[in-house]
Short mmCIF file of all heavy atoms in Angstrom, two decimals:
data_model
loop_
_atom_site.label_atom_id
_atom_site.label_comp_id
_atom_site.label_asym_id
_atom_site.label_seq_id
_atom_site.Cartn_x
_atom_site.Cartn_y
_atom_site.Cartn_z
N MET A 106 19.04 -14.42 -7.85
CA MET A 106 18.61 -14.26 -9.25
C MET A 106 19.85 -13.97 -10.10
O MET A 106 20.83 -13.35 -9.69
CB MET A 106 17.68 -13.11 -9.38
CG MET A 106 16.23 -13.41 -9.00
SD MET A 106 15.25 -12.00 -9.51
CE MET A 106 13.97 -12.86 -10.31
N SER A 107 19.78 -14.42 -11.33
CA SER A 107 20.82 -14.17 -12.30
C SER A 107 20.72 -12.78 -12.82
O SER A 107 19.64 -12.25 -13.08
CB SER A 107 20.63 -15.18 -13.42
OG SER A 107 21.59 -14.91 -14.40
N GLU A 108 21.88 -12.14 -12.99
CA GLU A 108 21.92 -10.79 -13.53
C GLU A 108 22.32 -10.82 -14.94
O GLU A 108 22.96 -9.88 -15.48
CB GLU A 108 22.96 -9.97 -12.75
CG GLU A 108 22.55 -9.97 -11.24
CD GLU A 108 22.18 -8.56 -10.80
OE1 GLU A 108 22.35 -7.63 -11.51
OE2 GLU A 108 21.70 -8.49 -9.65
N GLN A 109 21.96 -11.85 -15.69
CA GLN A 109 22.32 -11.88 -17.10
C GLN A 109 21.39 -11.04 -17.92
O GLN A 109 20.19 -10.89 -17.64
CB GLN A 109 22.12 -13.40 -17.60
CG GLN A 109 23.05 -14.35 -16.91
CD GLN A 109 22.76 -15.77 -17.35
OE1 GLN A 109 21.78 -16.00 -18.09
NE2 GLN A 109 23.60 -16.67 -16.91
N PRO A 110 21.95 -10.34 -18.88
CA PRO A 110 21.13 -9.48 -19.69
C PRO A 110 20.15 -10.25 -20.53
O PRO A 110 20.36 -11.40 -20.87
CB PRO A 110 22.17 -8.73 -20.63
CG PRO A 110 23.35 -9.61 -20.61
CD PRO A 110 23.33 -10.37 -19.30
N THR A 111 19.04 -9.67 -20.80
CA THR A 111 17.99 -10.23 -21.58
C THR A 111 18.38 -10.16 -23.08
O THR A 111 18.77 -9.13 -23.52
CB THR A 111 16.63 -9.53 -21.42
OG1 THR A 111 16.39 -9.57 -20.05
CG2 THR A 111 15.53 -10.24 -22.17
N PRO A 112 18.31 -11.25 -23.85
CA PRO A 112 18.63 -11.16 -25.26
C PRO A 112 17.71 -10.15 -25.96
O PRO A 112 16.55 -9.98 -25.60
CB PRO A 112 18.39 -12.58 -25.77
CG PRO A 112 18.40 -13.45 -24.54
CD PRO A 112 18.04 -12.58 -23.41
N ALA A 113 18.29 -9.47 -26.93
CA ALA A 113 17.52 -8.37 -27.64
C ALA A 113 16.29 -8.98 -28.39
O ALA A 113 15.38 -8.26 -28.71
CB ALA A 113 18.43 -7.63 -28.55
N ASP A 114 16.33 -10.28 -28.75
CA ASP A 114 15.27 -10.83 -29.54
C ASP A 114 14.00 -11.19 -28.71
O ASP A 114 13.01 -11.59 -29.22
CB ASP A 114 15.75 -12.07 -30.29
CG ASP A 114 16.24 -13.19 -29.36
OD1 ASP A 114 16.53 -12.88 -28.19
OD2 ASP A 114 16.38 -14.30 -29.82
N HIS A 115 14.04 -10.94 -27.39
CA HIS A 115 12.93 -11.18 -26.53
C HIS A 115 12.17 -9.83 -26.29
O HIS A 115 12.57 -9.10 -25.43
CB HIS A 115 13.32 -11.76 -25.21
CG HIS A 115 13.76 -13.19 -25.28
ND1 HIS A 115 14.91 -13.63 -25.65
CD2 HIS A 115 13.02 -14.31 -24.95
CE1 HIS A 115 15.01 -14.97 -25.64
NE2 HIS A 115 13.82 -15.38 -25.23
N ALA A 116 11.16 -9.62 -27.12
CA ALA A 116 10.44 -8.37 -26.97
C ALA A 116 9.46 -8.50 -25.77
O ALA A 116 9.01 -9.56 -25.43
CB ALA A 116 9.57 -8.14 -28.24
N ARG A 117 9.23 -7.33 -25.13
CA ARG A 117 8.32 -7.33 -23.96
C ARG A 117 6.92 -7.26 -24.48
O ARG A 117 6.59 -6.66 -25.51
CB ARG A 117 8.66 -6.13 -23.17
CG ARG A 117 10.01 -6.14 -22.51
CD ARG A 117 10.34 -4.99 -21.71
NE ARG A 117 9.71 -5.16 -20.41
CZ ARG A 117 9.87 -4.33 -19.39
NH1 ARG A 117 10.71 -3.33 -19.50
NH2 ARG A 117 9.28 -4.52 -18.25
N GLN A 118 6.04 -7.98 -23.77
CA GLN A 118 4.62 -8.02 -24.15
C GLN A 118 3.96 -6.71 -23.69
O GLN A 118 4.04 -6.42 -22.47
CB GLN A 118 3.93 -9.23 -23.56
CG GLN A 118 2.49 -9.37 -23.88
CD GLN A 118 1.84 -10.54 -23.25
OE1 GLN A 118 2.51 -11.31 -22.63
NE2 GLN A 118 0.57 -10.70 -23.40
N GLN A 119 3.32 -6.02 -24.51
CA GLN A 119 2.62 -4.75 -24.20
C GLN A 119 1.30 -5.12 -23.50
O GLN A 119 0.58 -6.07 -23.88
CB GLN A 119 2.37 -3.90 -25.44
CG GLN A 119 3.70 -3.48 -26.13
CD GLN A 119 4.50 -2.57 -25.16
OE1 GLN A 119 4.00 -1.62 -24.58
NE2 GLN A 119 5.80 -2.88 -25.02
N LEU A 120 0.91 -4.26 -22.57
CA LEU A 120 -0.39 -4.39 -21.89
C LEU A 120 -1.44 -3.69 -22.62
O LEU A 120 -1.17 -2.75 -23.40
CB LEU A 120 -0.22 -3.76 -20.45
CG LEU A 120 0.73 -4.34 -19.48
CD1 LEU A 120 0.76 -3.56 -18.19
CD2 LEU A 120 0.33 -5.82 -19.19
N GLU A 121 -2.63 -4.15 -22.36
CA GLU A 121 -3.78 -3.42 -22.93
C GLU A 121 -3.82 -2.08 -22.27
O GLU A 121 -3.44 -1.87 -21.13
CB GLU A 121 -5.11 -4.19 -22.58
CG GLU A 121 -5.19 -5.53 -23.26
CD GLU A 121 -5.29 -5.43 -24.82
OE1 GLU A 121 -5.93 -4.46 -25.24
OE2 GLU A 121 -4.72 -6.29 -25.49
N PRO A 122 -4.39 -1.03 -22.96
CA PRO A 122 -4.43 0.36 -22.37
C PRO A 122 -5.13 0.40 -21.01
O PRO A 122 -4.62 1.06 -20.11
CB PRO A 122 -5.22 1.14 -23.43
CG PRO A 122 -4.94 0.40 -24.73
CD PRO A 122 -4.85 -1.02 -24.35
N ASP A 123 -6.22 -0.34 -20.88
CA ASP A 123 -6.92 -0.29 -19.57
C ASP A 123 -6.07 -0.91 -18.45
O ASP A 123 -6.02 -0.44 -17.34
CB ASP A 123 -8.26 -1.04 -19.58
CG ASP A 123 -9.30 -0.21 -20.40
OD1 ASP A 123 -9.08 1.02 -20.64
OD2 ASP A 123 -10.27 -0.84 -20.82
N ALA A 124 -5.39 -2.02 -18.78
CA ALA A 124 -4.51 -2.70 -17.84
C ALA A 124 -3.35 -1.79 -17.43
O ALA A 124 -2.97 -1.65 -16.27
CB ALA A 124 -4.02 -4.01 -18.38
N ALA A 125 -2.78 -1.13 -18.39
CA ALA A 125 -1.64 -0.17 -18.16
C ALA A 125 -2.14 0.93 -17.23
O ALA A 125 -1.39 1.35 -16.35
CB ALA A 125 -1.03 0.28 -19.45
N ALA A 126 -3.30 1.54 -17.51
CA ALA A 126 -3.84 2.61 -16.76
C ALA A 126 -4.07 2.11 -15.29
O ALA A 126 -3.76 2.83 -14.37
CB ALA A 126 -5.12 3.15 -17.35
N GLY A 127 -4.65 0.99 -15.14
CA GLY A 127 -4.82 0.38 -13.80
C GLY A 127 -3.59 0.22 -13.09
O GLY A 127 -3.48 0.48 -11.83
N LEU A 128 -2.58 -0.26 -13.71
CA LEU A 128 -1.27 -0.51 -13.08
C LEU A 128 -0.61 0.85 -12.69
O LEU A 128 -0.05 0.94 -11.60
CB LEU A 128 -0.38 -1.24 -14.09
CG LEU A 128 0.96 -1.85 -13.49
CD1 LEU A 128 0.64 -2.80 -12.36
CD2 LEU A 128 1.70 -2.56 -14.63
N ARG A 129 -0.82 1.89 -13.49
CA ARG A 129 -0.23 3.20 -13.18
C ARG A 129 -0.99 3.74 -11.93
O ARG A 129 -0.33 4.42 -11.07
CB ARG A 129 -0.41 4.08 -14.36
CG ARG A 129 0.69 3.86 -15.44
CD ARG A 129 0.59 4.92 -16.54
NE ARG A 129 1.40 4.57 -17.67
CZ ARG A 129 0.95 3.90 -18.74
NH1 ARG A 129 -0.36 3.68 -18.83
NH2 ARG A 129 1.77 3.57 -19.72
N ALA A 130 -2.32 3.53 -11.91
CA ALA A 130 -3.07 4.03 -10.75
C ALA A 130 -2.64 3.34 -9.48
O ALA A 130 -2.49 3.94 -8.41
CB ALA A 130 -4.57 3.82 -11.05
N TYR A 131 -2.41 2.00 -9.57
CA TYR A 131 -1.96 1.25 -8.40
C TYR A 131 -0.59 1.71 -7.98
O TYR A 131 -0.33 1.93 -6.80
CB TYR A 131 -1.87 -0.20 -8.74
CG TYR A 131 -1.30 -1.09 -7.63
CD1 TYR A 131 -2.11 -1.38 -6.47
CD2 TYR A 131 -0.05 -1.61 -7.69
CE1 TYR A 131 -1.62 -2.16 -5.47
CE2 TYR A 131 0.45 -2.38 -6.72
CZ TYR A 131 -0.28 -2.62 -5.58
OH TYR A 131 0.25 -3.31 -4.52
N ALA A 132 0.30 1.98 -8.95
CA ALA A 132 1.66 2.53 -8.59
C ALA A 132 1.52 3.87 -7.88
O ALA A 132 2.24 4.12 -6.91
CB ALA A 132 2.48 2.66 -9.83
N ALA A 133 0.60 4.74 -8.37
CA ALA A 133 0.48 6.06 -7.70
C ALA A 133 -0.06 5.93 -6.29
O ALA A 133 0.41 6.64 -5.39
CB ALA A 133 -0.48 6.92 -8.55
N ARG A 134 -1.03 4.98 -6.02
CA ARG A 134 -1.60 4.78 -4.71
C ARG A 134 -0.46 4.27 -3.81
O ARG A 134 -0.36 4.68 -2.64
CB ARG A 134 -2.73 3.87 -4.75
CG ARG A 134 -4.02 4.51 -5.35
CD ARG A 134 -5.24 3.59 -5.12
NE ARG A 134 -5.06 2.22 -5.56
CZ ARG A 134 -5.32 1.75 -6.74
NH1 ARG A 134 -5.72 2.57 -7.73
NH2 ARG A 134 -5.13 0.43 -7.07
N THR A 135 0.27 3.30 -4.31
CA THR A 135 1.40 2.75 -3.51
C THR A 135 2.42 3.77 -3.17
O THR A 135 2.93 3.81 -2.04
CB THR A 135 2.03 1.55 -4.29
OG1 THR A 135 0.99 0.61 -4.59
CG2 THR A 135 3.14 0.88 -3.50
N ARG A 136 2.79 4.56 -4.13
CA ARG A 136 3.77 5.67 -3.92
C ARG A 136 3.25 6.65 -2.85
O ARG A 136 3.93 7.10 -1.99
CB ARG A 136 4.01 6.38 -5.26
CG ARG A 136 5.16 7.41 -5.17
CD ARG A 136 5.54 8.03 -6.53
NE ARG A 136 6.04 6.94 -7.39
CZ ARG A 136 5.45 6.51 -8.51
NH1 ARG A 136 4.25 6.99 -8.88
NH2 ARG A 136 5.97 5.51 -9.23
N GLU A 137 1.97 6.99 -2.95
CA GLU A 137 1.37 7.97 -1.98
C GLU A 137 1.41 7.32 -0.57
O GLU A 137 1.80 7.98 0.43
CB GLU A 137 -0.05 8.22 -2.37
CG GLU A 137 -0.75 9.23 -1.42
CD GLU A 137 -2.17 9.50 -1.84
OE1 GLU A 137 -2.56 9.22 -2.96
OE2 GLU A 137 -2.93 10.06 -1.01
N SER A 138 1.12 6.00 -0.44
CA SER A 138 1.15 5.36 0.89
C SER A 138 2.61 5.36 1.42
O SER A 138 2.84 5.59 2.60
CB SER A 138 0.60 3.95 0.79
OG SER A 138 -0.70 3.97 0.48
N ALA A 139 3.58 5.03 0.53
CA ALA A 139 4.95 5.00 0.92
C ALA A 139 5.37 6.39 1.42
O ALA A 139 6.12 6.53 2.40
CB ALA A 139 5.84 4.51 -0.17
N ASP A 140 4.96 7.46 0.70
CA ASP A 140 5.34 8.85 1.07
C ASP A 140 4.76 9.16 2.43
O ASP A 140 5.40 9.83 3.27
CB ASP A 140 4.85 9.84 -0.01
CG ASP A 140 5.68 9.77 -1.26
OD1 ASP A 140 6.71 9.11 -1.27
OD2 ASP A 140 5.19 10.27 -2.31
N GLN A 141 3.51 8.72 2.69
CA GLN A 141 2.90 9.02 3.99
C GLN A 141 3.64 8.29 5.12
O GLN A 141 3.89 8.87 6.20
CB GLN A 141 1.41 8.58 4.02
CG GLN A 141 0.50 9.44 3.16
CD GLN A 141 -0.85 8.91 3.03
OE1 GLN A 141 -1.19 7.83 3.50
NE2 GLN A 141 -1.79 9.67 2.44
N LEU A 142 3.99 7.10 4.91
CA LEU A 142 4.78 6.31 5.93
C LEU A 142 6.08 6.99 6.22
O LEU A 142 6.56 7.11 7.27
CB LEU A 142 4.93 4.85 5.48
CG LEU A 142 5.74 3.96 6.38
CD1 LEU A 142 5.20 3.94 7.78
CD2 LEU A 142 5.94 2.60 5.82
N ALA A 143 6.75 7.37 5.10
CA ALA A 143 8.06 8.00 5.20
C ALA A 143 7.97 9.32 6.03
O ALA A 143 8.82 9.61 6.86
CB ALA A 143 8.69 8.30 3.86
N ALA A 144 6.88 10.07 5.80
CA ALA A 144 6.71 11.32 6.54
C ALA A 144 6.49 11.00 8.02
O ALA A 144 7.05 11.74 8.90
CB ALA A 144 5.48 12.06 6.02
N VAL A 145 5.72 10.01 8.37
CA VAL A 145 5.52 9.62 9.76
C VAL A 145 6.84 9.22 10.37
O VAL A 145 7.15 9.66 11.50
CB VAL A 145 4.45 8.53 9.90
CG1 VAL A 145 4.44 7.96 11.28
CG2 VAL A 145 3.11 9.04 9.48
N LEU A 146 7.59 8.42 9.70
CA LEU A 146 8.91 7.95 10.26
C LEU A 146 9.88 9.10 10.42
O LEU A 146 10.58 9.17 11.48
CB LEU A 146 9.52 6.83 9.40
CG LEU A 146 8.65 5.57 9.31
CD1 LEU A 146 9.30 4.60 8.29
CD2 LEU A 146 8.52 4.95 10.67
N GLU A 147 9.88 10.02 9.49
CA GLU A 147 10.76 11.18 9.64
C GLU A 147 10.32 12.03 10.81
O GLU A 147 11.18 12.59 11.52
CB GLU A 147 10.73 12.02 8.30
CG GLU A 147 11.48 11.29 7.26
CD GLU A 147 11.26 11.99 5.88
OE1 GLU A 147 10.44 12.89 5.78
OE2 GLU A 147 11.98 11.53 4.92
N ASP A 148 9.00 12.22 11.05
CA ASP A 148 8.50 12.98 12.16
C ASP A 148 8.94 12.37 13.46
O ASP A 148 9.41 12.99 14.43
CB ASP A 148 7.03 13.11 12.11
CG ASP A 148 6.49 13.90 13.28
OD1 ASP A 148 6.72 15.12 13.33
OD2 ASP A 148 5.78 13.27 14.12
N ILE A 149 8.80 11.01 13.55
CA ILE A 149 9.23 10.33 14.78
C ILE A 149 10.74 10.45 14.94
O ILE A 149 11.18 10.71 16.18
CB ILE A 149 8.84 8.84 14.72
CG1 ILE A 149 7.31 8.71 14.77
CG2 ILE A 149 9.52 8.00 15.81
CD1 ILE A 149 6.81 7.31 14.52
N ALA A 150 11.50 10.38 13.93
CA ALA A 150 12.95 10.51 14.03
C ALA A 150 13.28 11.92 14.53
O ALA A 150 14.27 12.09 15.34
CB ALA A 150 13.64 10.19 12.72
N ALA A 151 12.61 12.93 14.04
CA ALA A 151 12.94 14.33 14.44
C ALA A 151 12.36 14.69 15.82
O ALA A 151 13.01 15.44 16.54
CB ALA A 151 12.38 15.29 13.35
N ASN A 152 11.19 14.13 16.15
CA ASN A 152 10.50 14.65 17.33
C ASN A 152 10.27 13.59 18.39
O ASN A 152 9.75 13.94 19.50
CB ASN A 152 9.16 15.28 16.95
CG ASN A 152 9.28 16.39 15.94
OD1 ASN A 152 10.03 17.31 16.20
ND2 ASN A 152 8.60 16.26 14.82
N GLY A 153 10.62 12.32 18.14
CA GLY A 153 10.41 11.25 19.11
C GLY A 153 9.03 10.73 18.98
O GLY A 153 8.17 11.17 18.16
N LEU A 154 8.73 9.72 19.79
CA LEU A 154 7.45 9.03 19.76
C LEU A 154 6.42 9.95 20.35
O LEU A 154 6.66 10.73 21.26
CB LEU A 154 7.53 7.73 20.49
CG LEU A 154 8.37 6.66 19.91
CD1 LEU A 154 8.52 5.50 20.91
CD2 LEU A 154 7.67 6.17 18.63
N PRO A 155 5.14 9.89 19.82
CA PRO A 155 4.05 10.65 20.47
C PRO A 155 3.72 10.13 21.86
O PRO A 155 4.02 8.98 22.18
CB PRO A 155 2.89 10.53 19.49
CG PRO A 155 3.16 9.26 18.75
CD PRO A 155 4.67 9.09 18.68
N SER A 156 3.11 10.96 22.64
CA SER A 156 2.68 10.53 23.96
C SER A 156 1.58 9.49 23.89
O SER A 156 0.82 9.48 22.90
CB SER A 156 2.20 11.72 24.80
OG SER A 156 0.99 12.26 24.26
N VAL A 157 1.41 8.67 24.91
CA VAL A 157 0.46 7.64 24.88
C VAL A 157 -1.00 8.22 24.76
O VAL A 157 -1.83 7.66 24.12
CB VAL A 157 0.57 6.75 26.12
CG1 VAL A 157 -0.60 5.78 26.27
CG2 VAL A 157 1.90 6.04 26.18
N GLU A 158 -1.19 9.40 25.38
CA GLU A 158 -2.51 10.01 25.33
C GLU A 158 -2.89 10.43 23.92
O GLU A 158 -4.06 10.58 23.65
CB GLU A 158 -2.49 11.21 26.25
CG GLU A 158 -2.34 10.93 27.74
CD GLU A 158 -0.88 10.68 28.15
OE1 GLU A 158 -0.01 11.16 27.42
OE2 GLU A 158 -0.66 9.96 29.16
N ASP A 159 -1.92 10.69 23.09
CA ASP A 159 -2.18 11.14 21.67
C ASP A 159 -2.34 9.97 20.75
O ASP A 159 -2.62 10.12 19.53
CB ASP A 159 -1.08 12.04 21.17
CG ASP A 159 -1.01 13.35 21.92
OD1 ASP A 159 -2.05 13.76 22.44
OD2 ASP A 159 0.06 13.92 21.98
N CYS A 160 -2.18 8.71 21.22
CA CYS A 160 -2.28 7.58 20.35
C CYS A 160 -3.59 6.87 20.45
O CYS A 160 -4.33 6.97 21.43
CB CYS A 160 -1.14 6.56 20.77
SG CYS A 160 0.46 7.23 20.45
N THR A 161 -3.96 6.15 19.45
CA THR A 161 -5.16 5.32 19.32
C THR A 161 -4.77 3.83 19.55
O THR A 161 -3.88 3.39 18.88
CB THR A 161 -5.86 5.45 17.98
OG1 THR A 161 -6.11 6.85 17.69
CG2 THR A 161 -7.13 4.65 17.93
N PRO A 162 -5.41 3.18 20.53
CA PRO A 162 -5.07 1.76 20.73
C PRO A 162 -5.30 0.97 19.49
O PRO A 162 -6.24 1.20 18.72
CB PRO A 162 -6.07 1.32 21.84
CG PRO A 162 -6.51 2.59 22.52
CD PRO A 162 -6.45 3.67 21.45
N TRP A 163 -4.42 -0.02 19.29
CA TRP A 163 -4.47 -0.79 18.05
C TRP A 163 -5.77 -1.58 17.95
O TRP A 163 -6.29 -1.81 16.87
CB TRP A 163 -3.26 -1.72 17.89
CG TRP A 163 -3.23 -2.93 18.83
CD1 TRP A 163 -2.68 -2.95 20.07
CD2 TRP A 163 -3.81 -4.14 18.57
NE1 TRP A 163 -2.88 -4.19 20.62
CE2 TRP A 163 -3.58 -4.96 19.74
CE3 TRP A 163 -4.55 -4.77 17.58
CZ2 TRP A 163 -3.99 -6.24 19.86
CZ3 TRP A 163 -4.96 -6.03 17.67
CH2 TRP A 163 -4.70 -6.83 18.78
N GLU A 164 -6.38 -1.95 19.12
CA GLU A 164 -7.59 -2.69 19.04
C GLU A 164 -8.75 -1.83 18.49
O GLU A 164 -9.53 -2.32 17.69
CB GLU A 164 -8.03 -3.11 20.47
CG GLU A 164 -7.07 -4.09 21.08
CD GLU A 164 -6.00 -3.45 21.97
OE1 GLU A 164 -5.84 -2.22 21.85
OE2 GLU A 164 -5.32 -4.18 22.68
N ASP A 165 -8.69 -0.51 18.75
CA ASP A 165 -9.69 0.39 18.19
C ASP A 165 -9.52 0.53 16.67
O ASP A 165 -10.48 0.60 15.87
CB ASP A 165 -9.61 1.76 18.88
CG ASP A 165 -10.03 1.76 20.31
OD1 ASP A 165 -10.58 0.71 20.77
OD2 ASP A 165 -9.79 2.72 21.03
N LEU A 166 -8.21 0.62 16.27
CA LEU A 166 -7.98 0.73 14.84
C LEU A 166 -8.36 -0.55 14.10
O LEU A 166 -9.00 -0.46 13.02
CB LEU A 166 -6.44 1.00 14.64
CG LEU A 166 -5.92 2.27 15.19
CD1 LEU A 166 -4.39 2.30 15.04
CD2 LEU A 166 -6.47 3.44 14.49
N ARG A 167 -8.09 -1.67 14.69
CA ARG A 167 -8.53 -2.93 14.11
C ARG A 167 -10.04 -3.01 13.94
O ARG A 167 -10.52 -3.42 12.92
CB ARG A 167 -8.04 -4.10 14.96
CG ARG A 167 -8.38 -5.48 14.42
CD ARG A 167 -8.21 -6.65 15.40
NE ARG A 167 -9.11 -6.39 16.53
CZ ARG A 167 -8.80 -6.78 17.75
NH1 ARG A 167 -7.68 -7.47 18.00
NH2 ARG A 167 -9.68 -6.56 18.76
N GLU A 168 -10.76 -2.76 15.03
CA GLU A 168 -12.20 -2.74 14.95
C GLU A 168 -12.82 -1.81 13.93
O GLU A 168 -13.76 -2.19 13.17
CB GLU A 168 -12.86 -2.50 16.32
CG GLU A 168 -12.49 -3.59 17.36
CD GLU A 168 -12.96 -4.98 16.91
OE1 GLU A 168 -14.08 -5.09 16.36
OE2 GLU A 168 -12.21 -5.95 17.11
N ALA A 169 -12.22 -0.64 13.80
CA ALA A 169 -12.70 0.30 12.78
C ALA A 169 -12.44 -0.25 11.37
O ALA A 169 -13.27 -0.05 10.50
CB ALA A 169 -12.04 1.70 12.98
N HIS A 170 -11.32 -0.79 11.22
CA HIS A 170 -10.91 -1.32 9.88
C HIS A 170 -11.82 -2.53 9.54
O HIS A 170 -12.38 -2.64 8.40
CB HIS A 170 -9.44 -1.79 9.87
CG HIS A 170 -9.03 -2.27 8.48
ND1 HIS A 170 -9.01 -1.45 7.40
CD2 HIS A 170 -8.62 -3.50 8.14
CE1 HIS A 170 -8.61 -2.26 6.35
NE2 HIS A 170 -8.40 -3.44 6.77
N LEU A 171 -12.12 -3.42 10.54
CA LEU A 171 -13.02 -4.52 10.25
C LEU A 171 -14.42 -4.04 9.96
O LEU A 171 -15.11 -4.65 9.10
CB LEU A 171 -12.99 -5.50 11.46
CG LEU A 171 -11.69 -6.27 11.68
CD1 LEU A 171 -11.77 -7.09 13.00
CD2 LEU A 171 -11.41 -7.20 10.46
N ALA A 172 -14.82 -3.01 10.57
CA ALA A 172 -16.18 -2.44 10.31
C ALA A 172 -16.26 -1.90 8.90
O ALA A 172 -17.20 -2.03 8.19
CB ALA A 172 -16.54 -1.38 11.37
N ARG A 173 -15.16 -1.19 8.43
CA ARG A 173 -15.15 -0.69 7.07
C ARG A 173 -15.18 -1.88 6.04
O ARG A 173 -15.86 -1.80 5.06
CB ARG A 173 -13.86 0.14 6.86
CG ARG A 173 -13.93 1.51 7.42
CD ARG A 173 -12.78 2.42 6.94
NE ARG A 173 -11.44 1.82 7.15
CZ ARG A 173 -10.78 2.03 8.30
NH1 ARG A 173 -11.27 2.76 9.26
NH2 ARG A 173 -9.56 1.53 8.37
N LEU A 174 -14.41 -2.90 6.34
CA LEU A 174 -14.41 -4.12 5.48
C LEU A 174 -15.78 -4.71 5.42
O LEU A 174 -16.32 -5.11 4.37
CB LEU A 174 -13.37 -5.07 5.94
CG LEU A 174 -11.94 -4.70 5.73
CD1 LEU A 174 -11.00 -5.81 6.33
CD2 LEU A 174 -11.62 -4.48 4.25
N ALA A 175 -16.44 -4.91 6.60
CA ALA A 175 -17.79 -5.46 6.62
C ALA A 175 -18.79 -4.65 5.86
O ALA A 175 -19.68 -5.18 5.25
CB ALA A 175 -18.21 -5.71 8.06
N ALA A 176 -18.68 -3.29 5.91
CA ALA A 176 -19.60 -2.44 5.24
C ALA A 176 -19.46 -2.53 3.72
O ALA A 176 -20.34 -2.29 2.96
CB ALA A 176 -19.37 -0.98 5.66
N GLN A 177 -18.23 -2.87 3.28
CA GLN A 177 -18.01 -3.00 1.79
C GLN A 177 -18.56 -4.27 1.24
O GLN A 177 -18.76 -4.40 0.02
CB GLN A 177 -16.47 -2.94 1.50
CG GLN A 177 -15.84 -1.63 1.82
CD GLN A 177 -14.31 -1.67 1.67
OE1 GLN A 177 -13.79 -2.67 1.37
NE2 GLN A 177 -13.73 -0.52 1.87
N ARG A 178 -18.71 -5.30 2.04
CA ARG A 178 -19.16 -6.63 1.52
C ARG A 178 -20.62 -6.89 1.91
O ARG A 178 -21.02 -6.60 3.07
CB ARG A 178 -18.28 -7.72 2.15
CG ARG A 178 -16.86 -7.59 1.83
CD ARG A 178 -16.10 -8.69 2.31
NE ARG A 178 -16.00 -9.68 1.29
CZ ARG A 178 -15.43 -10.88 1.38
NH1 ARG A 178 -15.03 -11.28 2.55
NH2 ARG A 178 -15.39 -11.74 0.38
N PRO A 179 -21.40 -7.39 1.02
CA PRO A 179 -22.82 -7.71 1.38
C PRO A 179 -22.80 -8.93 2.38
O PRO A 179 -21.90 -9.75 2.35
CB PRO A 179 -23.40 -8.20 0.05
CG PRO A 179 -22.20 -8.55 -0.83
CD PRO A 179 -21.10 -7.71 -0.35
N ALA A 180 -23.81 -8.87 3.21
CA ALA A 180 -23.94 -9.94 4.24
C ALA A 180 -24.28 -11.23 3.55
O ALA A 180 -25.10 -11.27 2.64
CB ALA A 180 -24.98 -9.58 5.26
N ILE A 181 -23.71 -12.32 4.06
CA ILE A 181 -24.04 -13.66 3.56
C ILE A 181 -25.14 -14.27 4.40
O ILE A 181 -25.04 -14.31 5.61
CB ILE A 181 -22.73 -14.53 3.59
CG1 ILE A 181 -21.68 -13.94 2.70
CG2 ILE A 181 -23.15 -15.96 3.18
CD1 ILE A 181 -20.37 -14.72 2.77
N ALA A 182 -26.15 -14.68 3.75
CA ALA A 182 -27.35 -15.24 4.45
C ALA A 182 -27.09 -16.66 4.92
O ALA A 182 -26.43 -17.44 4.37
CB ALA A 182 -28.55 -15.15 3.67
#
């Protein structure tokens, strides 16, 4: 990408208040998720990987997630 400065005569388009609020909420959720991931990675770096007995198989996690998604959507007849 070019690193050319934007000319001053190009004003930025302002968002509607509801759109701006939604974008801020999305940014907050994304930041929270990133902070949680960073905390997990820091714990692994400090303490090593958890034992296999303390972990949940990925297949179980996948099935639980798919069940949550299915519950959110109405069934198609």
